[in-house]
Amino acid sequence: MVGHMAPDDKKDGRKDPIDEHLKRVYDEVLQEDVPDRFTDLLNQLRQQDQSKSGGKA
Amino acid sequence: MSDAPDPREEIVEHLPALRAFAISLTRNHATADDMVQDTVVKAWTNIDKFQAGTNLRAWLFTILRNTYYSNRRKAKREVADVDGVFAESMSEKPAHDGHLQMADFRRAFAQLPDEQREALILVGASGFAYEEAADMCGVAVGTIKSRVNRARAKLAELMHLREDEALEMTDSATMSVVSQRVAG
């Protein structure tokens, strides 16, 4: 089977309820605020790099 | 080329998608966030392995799924540690017709085998092409397609059953007709 279309393309134009649910479930997490622990972590990693290499980008 | 963006600075943009993918794999909020944390550290320290100009999100997703599967192998078990994130959403307001379906979808989704759930999320929700997903999972494109198809078939089966039960709950005669129709 040749599958070059996007997975949820339907020839008759109907939306697939599974895709709708899937996206909704996924989008809910996408819209959550990213917990501070991650931005803190990134800051930490950046600072570690800078102190190790003396300011190398 | 000296002002080429540092891919490490882009990682933060992909965190929501990474969390969504992690939660779909682990079905547990706490485990998912720990996994994303590990992924961020690995990505940061191995950024030299990332080819500038290629798909950073795909690269991050690949690190995350490798982490998930290697943790799973270490644990030597696949216990569904479902804390209800994907089985049932606390924040979801009941819609008049959508609520039951969403709850059933979440339950059905959580029951899929990891590889099928992952394939469906990558291709159906995260927007990767089949070829990209195949690359990330280290399998043939046909394997990804087959996993997606099996996942969708399973979900359709589980959800239609639930839908019919919801509609015809009080009528056992109708239920028998419904079961026959679904099985047919």
Side-chain angles (χ1 to χ4, degrees), chain B residues 31-49:
Chain B
T31 310
D33 278 351
D34 286 347
M35 228 169 55
V36 172
Q37 180 128 349
D38 284 350
T39 300
V40 168
V41 173
K42 283 181 191 168
W44 190 278
T45 53
N46 289 286
I47 200 69
D48 54 312
K49 300 194 174 66

mmCIF file with all atom_site columns, all heavy atoms in Angstrom, chain B residues 31-49:
data_model
loop_
_atom_site.group_PDB
_atom_site.id
_atom_site.type_symbol
_atom_site.label_atom_id
_atom_site.label_alt_id
_atom_site.label_comp_id
_atom_site.label_asym_id
_atom_site.label_entity_id
_atom_site.label_seq_id
_atom_site.pdbx_PDB_ins_code
_atom_site.Cartn_x
_atom_site.Cartn_y
_atom_site.Cartn_z
_atom_site.occupancy
_atom_site.B_iso_or_equiv
_atom_site.pdbx_formal_charge
_atom_site.auth_seq_id
_atom_site.auth_comp_id
_atom_site.auth_asym_id
_atom_site.auth_atom_id
_atom_site.pdbx_PDB_model_num
ATOM 1   N N   . THR B 1 31 ? 6.652  9.724  36.304 1.00 0.00 ? 31 THR B N   1
ATOM 2   C CA  . THR B 1 31 ? 7.652  8.992  35.525 1.00 0.00 ? 31 THR B CA  1
ATOM 3   C C   . THR B 1 31 ? 7.971  9.744  34.239 1.00 0.00 ? 31 THR B C   1
ATOM 4   O O   . THR B 1 31 ? 9.124  9.833  33.820 1.00 0.00 ? 31 THR B O   1
ATOM 5   C CB  . THR B 1 31 ? 7.131  7.591  35.157 1.00 0.00 ? 31 THR B CB  1
ATOM 6   O OG1 . THR B 1 31 ? 6.638  6.965  36.316 1.00 0.00 ? 31 THR B OG1 1
ATOM 7   C CG2 . THR B 1 31 ? 8.230  6.744  34.535 1.00 0.00 ? 31 THR B CG2 1
ATOM 8   N N   . ALA B 1 32 ? 6.926  10.277 33.624 1.00 0.00 ? 32 ALA B N   1
ATOM 9   C CA  . ALA B 1 32 ? 7.127  11.004 32.366 1.00 0.00 ? 32 ALA B CA  1
ATOM 10  C C   . ALA B 1 32 ? 8.051  12.191 32.563 1.00 0.00 ? 32 ALA B C   1
ATOM 11  O O   . ALA B 1 32 ? 8.990  12.401 31.789 1.00 0.00 ? 32 ALA B O   1
ATOM 12  C CB  . ALA B 1 32 ? 5.777  11.458 31.811 1.00 0.00 ? 32 ALA B CB  1
ATOM 13  N N   . ASP B 1 33 ? 7.797  12.962 33.583 1.00 0.00 ? 33 ASP B N   1
ATOM 14  C CA  . ASP B 1 33 ? 8.628  14.145 33.811 1.00 0.00 ? 33 ASP B CA  1
ATOM 15  C C   . ASP B 1 33 ? 10.064 13.767 34.173 1.00 0.00 ? 33 ASP B C   1
ATOM 16  O O   . ASP B 1 33 ? 11.011 14.446 33.767 1.00 0.00 ? 33 ASP B O   1
ATOM 17  C CB  . ASP B 1 33 ? 7.994  15.050 34.872 1.00 0.00 ? 33 ASP B CB  1
ATOM 18  C CG  . ASP B 1 33 ? 6.907  15.949 34.289 1.00 0.00 ? 33 ASP B CG  1
ATOM 19  O OD1 . ASP B 1 33 ? 6.770  15.985 33.044 1.00 0.00 ? 33 ASP B OD1 1
ATOM 20  O OD2 . ASP B 1 33 ? 6.182  16.609 35.055 1.00 0.00 ? 33 ASP B OD2 1
ATOM 21  N N   . ASP B 1 34 ? 10.230 12.692 34.914 1.00 0.00 ? 34 ASP B N   1
ATOM 22  C CA  . ASP B 1 34 ? 11.597 12.218 35.201 1.00 0.00 ? 34 ASP B CA  1
ATOM 23  C C   . ASP B 1 34 ? 12.307 11.848 33.903 1.00 0.00 ? 34 ASP B C   1
ATOM 24  O O   . ASP B 1 34 ? 13.488 12.132 33.716 1.00 0.00 ? 34 ASP B O   1
ATOM 25  C CB  . ASP B 1 34 ? 11.565 10.989 36.119 1.00 0.00 ? 34 ASP B CB  1
ATOM 26  C CG  . ASP B 1 34 ? 11.218 11.353 37.550 1.00 0.00 ? 34 ASP B CG  1
ATOM 27  O OD1 . ASP B 1 34 ? 11.245 12.544 37.894 1.00 0.00 ? 34 ASP B OD1 1
ATOM 28  O OD2 . ASP B 1 34 ? 10.913 10.428 38.332 1.00 0.00 ? 34 ASP B OD2 1
ATOM 29  N N   . MET B 1 35 ? 11.557 11.210 33.022 1.00 0.00 ? 35 MET B N   1
ATOM 30  C CA  . MET B 1 35 ? 12.130 10.772 31.750 1.00 0.00 ? 35 MET B CA  1
ATOM 31  C C   . MET B 1 35 ? 12.495 11.970 30.880 1.00 0.00 ? 35 MET B C   1
ATOM 32  O O   . MET B 1 35 ? 13.524 11.966 30.199 1.00 0.00 ? 35 MET B O   1
ATOM 33  C CB  . MET B 1 35 ? 11.115 9.903  31.008 1.00 0.00 ? 35 MET B CB  1
ATOM 34  C CG  . MET B 1 35 ? 11.724 8.633  30.502 1.00 0.00 ? 35 MET B CG  1
ATOM 35  S SD  . MET B 1 35 ? 10.504 7.482  29.914 1.00 0.00 ? 35 MET B SD  1
ATOM 36  C CE  . MET B 1 35 ? 9.645  8.459  28.719 1.00 0.00 ? 35 MET B CE  1
ATOM 37  N N   . VAL B 1 36 ? 11.660 12.977 30.895 1.00 0.00 ? 36 VAL B N   1
ATOM 38  C CA  . VAL B 1 36 ? 11.956 14.183 30.126 1.00 0.00 ? 36 VAL B CA  1
ATOM 39  C C   . VAL B 1 36 ? 13.205 14.850 30.696 1.00 0.00 ? 36 VAL B C   1
ATOM 40  O O   . VAL B 1 36 ? 14.067 15.333 29.943 1.00 0.00 ? 36 VAL B O   1
ATOM 41  C CB  . VAL B 1 36 ? 10.761 15.160 30.128 1.00 0.00 ? 36 VAL B CB  1
ATOM 42  C CG1 . VAL B 1 36 ? 11.161 16.487 29.500 1.00 0.00 ? 36 VAL B CG1 1
ATOM 43  C CG2 . VAL B 1 36 ? 9.583  14.554 29.375 1.00 0.00 ? 36 VAL B CG2 1
ATOM 44  N N   . GLN B 1 37 ? 13.313 14.843 32.009 1.00 0.00 ? 37 GLN B N   1
ATOM 45  C CA  . GLN B 1 37 ? 14.502 15.408 32.648 1.00 0.00 ? 37 GLN B CA  1
ATOM 46  C C   . GLN B 1 37 ? 15.764 14.684 32.178 1.00 0.00 ? 37 GLN B C   1
ATOM 47  O O   . GLN B 1 37 ? 16.745 15.316 31.777 1.00 0.00 ? 37 GLN B O   1
ATOM 48  C CB  . GLN B 1 37 ? 14.363 15.283 34.169 1.00 0.00 ? 37 GLN B CB  1
ATOM 49  C CG  . GLN B 1 37 ? 15.522 15.842 34.931 1.00 0.00 ? 37 GLN B CG  1
ATOM 50  C CD  . GLN B 1 37 ? 15.095 16.830 36.000 1.00 0.00 ? 37 GLN B CD  1
ATOM 51  O OE1 . GLN B 1 37 ? 13.938 17.253 36.038 1.00 0.00 ? 37 GLN B OE1 1
ATOM 52  N NE2 . GLN B 1 37 ? 16.024 17.225 36.832 1.00 0.00 ? 37 GLN B NE2 1
ATOM 53  N N   . ASP B 1 38 ? 15.738 13.352 32.224 1.00 0.00 ? 38 ASP B N   1
ATOM 54  C CA  . ASP B 1 38 ? 16.876 12.561 31.734 1.00 0.00 ? 38 ASP B CA  1
ATOM 55  C C   . ASP B 1 38 ? 17.185 12.890 30.289 1.00 0.00 ? 38 ASP B C   1
ATOM 56  O O   . ASP B 1 38 ? 18.349 12.997 29.893 1.00 0.00 ? 38 ASP B O   1
ATOM 57  C CB  . ASP B 1 38 ? 16.548 11.055 31.794 1.00 0.00 ? 38 ASP B CB  1
ATOM 58  C CG  . ASP B 1 38 ? 16.634 10.515 33.196 1.00 0.00 ? 38 ASP B CG  1
ATOM 59  O OD1 . ASP B 1 38 ? 17.120 11.238 34.089 1.00 0.00 ? 38 ASP B OD1 1
ATOM 60  O OD2 . ASP B 1 38 ? 16.204 9.359  33.401 1.00 0.00 ? 38 ASP B OD2 1
ATOM 61  N N   . THR B 1 39 ? 16.130 13.026 29.499 1.00 0.00 ? 39 THR B N   1
ATOM 62  C CA  . THR B 1 39 ? 16.299 13.306 28.076 1.00 0.00 ? 39 THR B CA  1
ATOM 63  C C   . THR B 1 39 ? 16.980 14.643 27.867 1.00 0.00 ? 39 THR B C   1
ATOM 64  O O   . THR B 1 39 ? 17.879 14.769 27.027 1.00 0.00 ? 39 THR B O   1
ATOM 65  C CB  . THR B 1 39 ? 14.930 13.292 27.374 1.00 0.00 ? 39 THR B CB  1
ATOM 66  O OG1 . THR B 1 39 ? 14.348 12.006 27.540 1.00 0.00 ? 39 THR B OG1 1
ATOM 67  C CG2 . THR B 1 39 ? 15.053 13.600 25.899 1.00 0.00 ? 39 THR B CG2 1
ATOM 68  N N   . VAL B 1 40 ? 16.551 15.635 28.612 1.00 0.00 ? 40 VAL B N   1
ATOM 69  C CA  . VAL B 1 40 ? 17.138 16.966 28.463 1.00 0.00 ? 40 VAL B CA  1
ATOM 70  C C   . VAL B 1 40 ? 18.631 16.926 28.797 1.00 0.00 ? 40 VAL B C   1
ATOM 71  O O   . VAL B 1 40 ? 19.460 17.486 28.061 1.00 0.00 ? 40 VAL B O   1
ATOM 72  C CB  . VAL B 1 40 ? 16.406 18.000 29.354 1.00 0.00 ? 40 VAL B CB  1
ATOM 73  C CG1 . VAL B 1 40 ? 17.180 19.299 29.435 1.00 0.00 ? 40 VAL B CG1 1
ATOM 74  C CG2 . VAL B 1 40 ? 15.002 18.247 28.821 1.00 0.00 ? 40 VAL B CG2 1
ATOM 75  N N   . VAL B 1 41 ? 18.972 16.237 29.880 1.00 0.00 ? 41 VAL B N   1
ATOM 76  C CA  . VAL B 1 41 ? 20.387 16.153 30.272 1.00 0.00 ? 41 VAL B CA  1
ATOM 77  C C   . VAL B 1 41 ? 21.194 15.434 29.193 1.00 0.00 ? 41 VAL B C   1
ATOM 78  O O   . VAL B 1 41 ? 22.262 15.893 28.788 1.00 0.00 ? 41 VAL B O   1
ATOM 79  C CB  . VAL B 1 41 ? 20.539 15.437 31.634 1.00 0.00 ? 41 VAL B CB  1
ATOM 80  C CG1 . VAL B 1 41 ? 22.002 15.196 31.961 1.00 0.00 ? 41 VAL B CG1 1
ATOM 81  C CG2 . VAL B 1 41 ? 19.880 16.245 32.742 1.00 0.00 ? 41 VAL B CG2 1
ATOM 82  N N   . LYS B 1 42 ? 20.662 14.320 28.706 1.00 0.00 ? 42 LYS B N   1
ATOM 83  C CA  . LYS B 1 42 ? 21.379 13.560 27.674 1.00 0.00 ? 42 LYS B CA  1
ATOM 84  C C   . LYS B 1 42 ? 21.532 14.385 26.409 1.00 0.00 ? 42 LYS B C   1
ATOM 85  O O   . LYS B 1 42 ? 22.589 14.372 25.766 1.00 0.00 ? 42 LYS B O   1
ATOM 86  C CB  . LYS B 1 42 ? 20.609 12.278 27.331 1.00 0.00 ? 42 LYS B CB  1
ATOM 87  C CG  . LYS B 1 42 ? 20.762 11.193 28.353 1.00 0.00 ? 42 LYS B CG  1
ATOM 88  C CD  . LYS B 1 42 ? 19.998 9.941  27.929 1.00 0.00 ? 42 LYS B CD  1
ATOM 89  C CE  . LYS B 1 42 ? 19.960 8.974  29.101 1.00 0.00 ? 42 LYS B CE  1
ATOM 90  N NZ  . LYS B 1 42 ? 19.016 7.885  28.883 1.00 0.00 ? 42 LYS B NZ  1
ATOM 91  N N   . ALA B 1 43 ? 20.460 15.066 26.042 1.00 0.00 ? 43 ALA B N   1
ATOM 92  C CA  . ALA B 1 43 ? 20.510 15.863 24.816 1.00 0.00 ? 43 ALA B CA  1
ATOM 93  C C   . ALA B 1 43 ? 21.544 16.971 24.958 1.00 0.00 ? 43 ALA B C   1
ATOM 94  O O   . ALA B 1 43 ? 22.358 17.209 24.056 1.00 0.00 ? 43 ALA B O   1
ATOM 95  C CB  . ALA B 1 43 ? 19.130 16.440 24.513 1.00 0.00 ? 43 ALA B CB  1
ATOM 96  N N   . TRP B 1 44 ? 21.503 17.633 26.096 1.00 0.00 ? 44 TRP B N   1
ATOM 97  C CA  . TRP B 1 44 ? 22.439 18.735 26.328 1.00 0.00 ? 44 TRP B CA  1
ATOM 98  C C   . TRP B 1 44 ? 23.876 18.268 26.241 1.00 0.00 ? 44 TRP B C   1
ATOM 99  O O   . TRP B 1 44 ? 24.701 18.863 25.552 1.00 0.00 ? 44 TRP B O   1
ATOM 100 C CB  . TRP B 1 44 ? 22.160 19.361 27.689 1.00 0.00 ? 44 TRP B CB  1
ATOM 101 C CG  . TRP B 1 44 ? 22.895 20.638 27.911 1.00 0.00 ? 44 TRP B CG  1
ATOM 102 C CD1 . TRP B 1 44 ? 24.198 20.788 28.313 1.00 0.00 ? 44 TRP B CD1 1
ATOM 103 C CD2 . TRP B 1 44 ? 22.371 21.958 27.755 1.00 0.00 ? 44 TRP B CD2 1
ATOM 104 N NE1 . TRP B 1 44 ? 24.520 22.123 28.406 1.00 0.00 ? 44 TRP B NE1 1
ATOM 105 C CE2 . TRP B 1 44 ? 23.423 22.856 28.081 1.00 0.00 ? 44 TRP B CE2 1
ATOM 106 C CE3 . TRP B 1 44 ? 21.125 22.463 27.375 1.00 0.00 ? 44 TRP B CE3 1
ATOM 107 C CZ2 . TRP B 1 44 ? 23.250 24.238 28.032 1.00 0.00 ? 44 TRP B CZ2 1
ATOM 108 C CZ3 . TRP B 1 44 ? 20.961 23.842 27.337 1.00 0.00 ? 44 TRP B CZ3 1
ATOM 109 C CH2 . TRP B 1 44 ? 22.010 24.706 27.666 1.00 0.00 ? 44 TRP B CH2 1
ATOM 110 N N   . THR B 1 45 ? 24.188 17.192 26.960 1.00 0.00 ? 45 THR B N   1
ATOM 111 C CA  . THR B 1 45 ? 25.578 16.757 27.013 1.00 0.00 ? 45 THR B CA  1
ATOM 112 C C   . THR B 1 45 ? 26.027 16.074 25.722 1.00 0.00 ? 45 THR B C   1
ATOM 113 O O   . THR B 1 45 ? 27.221 15.962 25.478 1.00 0.00 ? 45 THR B O   1
ATOM 114 C CB  . THR B 1 45 ? 25.830 15.807 28.201 1.00 0.00 ? 45 THR B CB  1
ATOM 115 O OG1 . THR B 1 45 ? 24.878 14.742 28.154 1.00 0.00 ? 45 THR B OG1 1
ATOM 116 C CG2 . THR B 1 45 ? 25.633 16.532 29.521 1.00 0.00 ? 45 THR B CG2 1
ATOM 117 N N   . ASN B 1 46 ? 25.074 15.637 24.904 1.00 0.00 ? 46 ASN B N   1
ATOM 118 C CA  . ASN B 1 46 ? 25.439 14.987 23.645 1.00 0.00 ? 46 ASN B CA  1
ATOM 119 C C   . ASN B 1 46 ? 25.078 15.808 22.430 1.00 0.00 ? 46 ASN B C   1
ATOM 120 O O   . ASN B 1 46 ? 24.921 15.281 21.335 1.00 0.00 ? 46 ASN B O   1
ATOM 121 C CB  . ASN B 1 46 ? 24.742 13.627 23.548 1.00 0.00 ? 46 ASN B CB  1
ATOM 122 C CG  . ASN B 1 46 ? 25.319 12.633 24.521 1.00 0.00 ? 46 ASN B CG  1
ATOM 123 O OD1 . ASN B 1 46 ? 26.409 12.121 24.326 1.00 0.00 ? 46 ASN B OD1 1
ATOM 124 N ND2 . ASN B 1 46 ? 24.599 12.400 25.600 1.00 0.00 ? 46 ASN B ND2 1
ATOM 125 N N   . ILE B 1 47 ? 24.953 17.107 22.626 1.00 0.00 ? 47 ILE B N   1
ATOM 126 C CA  . ILE B 1 47 ? 24.466 17.974 21.550 1.00 0.00 ? 47 ILE B CA  1
ATOM 127 C C   . ILE B 1 47 ? 25.398 17.932 20.342 1.00 0.00 ? 47 ILE B C   1
ATOM 128 O O   . ILE B 1 47 ? 24.962 18.194 19.217 1.00 0.00 ? 47 ILE B O   1
ATOM 129 C CB  . ILE B 1 47 ? 24.260 19.425 22.051 1.00 0.00 ? 47 ILE B CB  1
ATOM 130 C CG1 . ILE B 1 47 ? 23.316 20.177 21.109 1.00 0.00 ? 47 ILE B CG1 1
ATOM 131 C CG2 . ILE B 1 47 ? 25.593 20.147 22.211 1.00 0.00 ? 47 ILE B CG2 1
ATOM 132 C CD1 . ILE B 1 47 ? 21.883 19.679 21.174 1.00 0.00 ? 47 ILE B CD1 1
ATOM 133 N N   . ASP B 1 48 ? 26.635 17.579 20.561 1.00 0.00 ? 48 ASP B N   1
ATOM 134 C CA  . ASP B 1 48 ? 27.555 17.491 19.427 1.00 0.00 ? 48 ASP B CA  1
ATOM 135 C C   . ASP B 1 48 ? 27.144 16.391 18.457 1.00 0.00 ? 48 ASP B C   1
ATOM 136 O O   . ASP B 1 48 ? 27.552 16.377 17.304 1.00 0.00 ? 48 ASP B O   1
ATOM 137 C CB  . ASP B 1 48 ? 28.993 17.260 19.909 1.00 0.00 ? 48 ASP B CB  1
ATOM 138 C CG  . ASP B 1 48 ? 29.086 16.043 20.816 1.00 0.00 ? 48 ASP B CG  1
ATOM 139 O OD1 . ASP B 1 48 ? 28.252 15.931 21.737 1.00 0.00 ? 48 ASP B OD1 1
ATOM 140 O OD2 . ASP B 1 48 ? 29.980 15.203 20.614 1.00 0.00 ? 48 ASP B OD2 1
ATOM 141 N N   . LYS B 1 49 ? 26.305 15.464 18.924 1.00 0.00 ? 49 LYS B N   1
ATOM 142 C CA  . LYS B 1 49 ? 25.844 14.390 18.037 1.00 0.00 ? 49 LYS B CA  1
ATOM 143 C C   . LYS B 1 49 ? 24.659 14.819 17.192 1.00 0.00 ? 49 LYS B C   1
ATOM 144 O O   . LYS B 1 49 ? 24.247 14.119 16.268 1.00 0.00 ? 49 LYS B O   1
ATOM 145 C CB  . LYS B 1 49 ? 25.452 13.150 18.848 1.00 0.00 ? 49 LYS B CB  1
ATOM 146 C CG  . LYS B 1 49 ? 26.600 12.581 19.655 1.00 0.00 ? 49 LYS B CG  1
ATOM 147 C CD  . LYS B 1 49 ? 26.286 11.174 20.159 1.00 0.00 ? 49 LYS B CD  1
ATOM 148 C CE  . LYS B 1 49 ? 27.497 10.567 20.845 1.00 0.00 ? 49 LYS B CE  1
ATOM 149 N NZ  . LYS B 1 49 ? 27.862 11.290 22.111 1.00 0.00 ? 49 LYS B NZ  1
#
